[in-house]
Amino acid sequence: MKTNAQAAKANQRRVAFATVIGTTVEWYDFFIYATAAGLVFSQLFFEPAGKDIALLISFASVGLSFLFRPLGAFLAGHYGDKIGRRAMLVLTLSLMGAATTLIGVLPTYETAGLWAPILLLLLRIIQGISAGGEWGGAVLMAVEHAEEGKRGRAGSYPQVGVPLGMLLASGMMALMTGVISPGDAFLEWGWRVPFLVSIILIAIGYFVRRAVDESPVFEEIAEHKAQTNVPILVLFKKHWPLVLIAALVFAGNNAAGYMTTGGFFQAYTTNPDGPIGLERTDVLVAVAFGAAVWLVMTLVAGLMADKLGRKRTYQIGFIILAASLFPVFALVNTGSLGLLYLAFGLFSIGLGLTYGPQAALYSELFPASVRFSGVSISYAIGAIVGGAFAPTIAQALVQATGGTTAVAVYLLIVVAVSFTAVSLIRDRAGIDLSFRNQAEQEVGALVFDKRTVEGERQKAAQ
């Protein structure tokens, strides 16, 4: 027994390491694009549209990938519920890495004309498809391998990959703008290096993920030959309210988070014609600091989710996030670099608390046979509703009003919607996630769902 317990612990550590490494690499790739979109893509790929319109198009290209996340979620969810979680994790990582590396060798508008932005957008679409399939597999590997009573903590590990990816992306960009290729050199060639570095990171992530055991829940499903033929159809036929509400839970965090991960704050604070005009490198380091706070708070939220419950942790986080919005924008608008650090740190507290519990909450919402599809599609739809065009909306509001108050109001509304949505979910911490407990998993995930397993059996018997 001791040997089996030690083996299980060792496997859980491998899973934790693999999910952190894999999601970090995946989101580094995703955020490198968003950071570059806020800093240089408007000049390199969209400049003929005019300065203001080019920046809007550049931000819209960040959001374009979100429209294709559901496709990635549908494909990964379908095959993840049929052939396994691990295979899809390796595939999505490889796809993201290939797209990111190719962006690093793209010609610009000056040399290739209209083909340059077309190719850029096509590669961004591939990034979106990959990101749509990545998250569900990573969180299920983490949560379905976790010990009972520690799913919140285990689920926070793949979540940590997002702020880690942002930290890595911002750090790499800061290194290029401040040390290796400052000034015009960054615009000429330095921006390409962070994209090309991706190929090394992908190789590391690929071999780490290949070494991880398949999810025990999927192994149980496969052993019973109980894979659902078309899991997406079953998901939307039986569980569409869960998908909708779970998506709205994510929208508030994603809309707020994409002020930094989507490049809005970077562009707003470094615009030489704007009210602040800070140096690129200074802002990128401040963003990296905010990502570090986000990382810590995500781990804290995972622990809180095991102690206080997923739902309560979320509610606390949304209240803190809502309360921080107006102070954050006020601090940013001072133009003080020190206060910018304070703003990003404050902002990241609420972001972490509303992101850490997500893996455990989502995994406990959906039945085992459609769980990959459920968590992936809910996440993808929530990303579209919340973050897809949040930087574009924010930039348009600034251009229309001349200030950021309207941006804070917009984010406050989305956060309020998410708070309401999570309040409709019944906390199911501790529910048995295995395939043999599918009947209990089918009912009672929402507070207004009064069905019970026994009641459903009685209906079926009549």
Side-chain angles (χ1 to χ4, degrees), residues 208-298:
V208 168
R209 282 193 165 173
R210 290 274 296 178
V212 175
D213 294 340
E214 178 58 271
S215 159
V217 175
F218 181 78
E219 286 183 338
E220 185 181 18
I221 293 172
E223 182 182 342
H224 289 82
K225 301 187 186 307
Q227 293 96 326
T228 305
N229 288 331
V230 190
I232 293 166
L233 292 182
V234 175
L235 176 72
F236 279 101
K237 181 179 179 180
K238 299 178 66 176
H239 305 291
W240 67 265
L242 277 182
V243 173
L244 175 61
I245 290 174
L248 291 178
V249 169
F250 185 38
N253 172 279
N254 210 232
Y258 263 80
M259 293 301 99
T260 51
T261 59
F264 168 75
F265 273 136
Q266 290 91 318
Y268 177 70
T269 54
T270 60
N271 183 357
D273 300 324
I276 299 174
L278 293 171
E279 292 295 323
R280 286 174 181 164
T281 305
D282 291 338
V283 172
L284 288 169
V285 175
V287 170
F289 168 77
V293 176
W294 185 5
L295 186 160
V296 172
M297 294 310 300
T298 299

Side-chain angles (χ1 to χ4, degrees), residues 33 36-38 40-42 46 53-63 392:
Y33 183 101
V40 296
F41 280 175
S42 61
F46 308 111
I53 300 300
L55 188 56
L56 285 174
I57 295 173
S58 188
F59 281 140
S61 75
V62 175
T392 311

Side-chain angles (χ1 to χ4, degrees), residues 49-274:
K51 191 169 185 179
D52 289 343
I53 300 300
L55 188 56
L56 285 174
I57 295 173
S58 188
F59 281 140
S61 75
V62 175
L64 176 67
S65 69
F66 287 78
L67 300 181
F68 289 86
R69 278 198 193 184
L71 175 59
F74 273 73
L75 292 172
H78 177 80
Y79 290 106
D81 283 326
K82 287 178 70 69
I83 65 174
R85 284 59 162 136
R86 186 178 67 172
M88 298 314 300
L89 281 177
V90 172
L91 178 60
T92 54
L93 186 68
S94 302
L95 190 65
M96 177 69 88
T100 304
T101 303
L102 287 173
I103 290 173
V105 298
L106 277 183
T108 63
Y109 188 93
E110 185 179 4
T111 56
L114 193 59
W115 278 108
I118 289 174
L119 291 172
L120 179 70
L121 295 179
L122 286 174
L123 291 172
R124 183 58 176 172
I125 287 170
I126 293 173
Q127 282 191 323
I129 293 171
S130 173
E134 153 71 20
W135 187 81
V139 301
L140 291 189
M141 287 292 284
V143 174
E144 290 178 346
H145 272 286
E147 296 178 64
E148 186 176 347
K150 295 183 179 179
R151 288 187 204 141
R153 184 183 70 176
S156 69
Y157 295 148
Q159 302 297 82
V160 160
V162 175
L164 264 179
M166 187 63 195
L167 181 62
L168 192 59
S170 298
M172 179 62 74
M173 282 294 193
L175 183 65
M176 297 308 300
T177 60
V179 179
I180 298 176
S181 57
D184 291 341
F186 180 72
L187 198 64
E188 291 170 7
W189 60 268
W191 68 271
R192 297 181 183 275
V193 175
F195 288 91
L196 297 175
V197 166
S198 173
I199 196 167
I200 301 171
L201 300 177
I202 291 296
I204 296 170
Y206 176 85
F207 287 111
V208 168
R209 282 193 165 173
R210 290 274 296 178
V212 175
D213 294 340
E214 178 58 271
S215 159
V217 175
F218 181 78
E219 286 183 338
E220 185 181 18
I221 293 172
E223 182 182 342
H224 289 82
K225 301 187 186 307
Q227 293 96 326
T228 305
N229 288 331
V230 190
I232 293 166
L233 292 182
V234 175
L235 176 72
F236 279 101
K237 181 179 179 180
K238 299 178 66 176
H239 305 291
W240 67 265
L242 277 182
V243 173
L244 175 61
I245 290 174
L248 291 178
V249 169
F250 185 38
N253 172 279
N254 210 232
Y258 263 80
M259 293 301 99
T260 51
T261 59
F264 168 75
F265 273 136
Q266 290 91 318
Y268 177 70
T269 54
T270 60
N271 183 357
D273 300 324

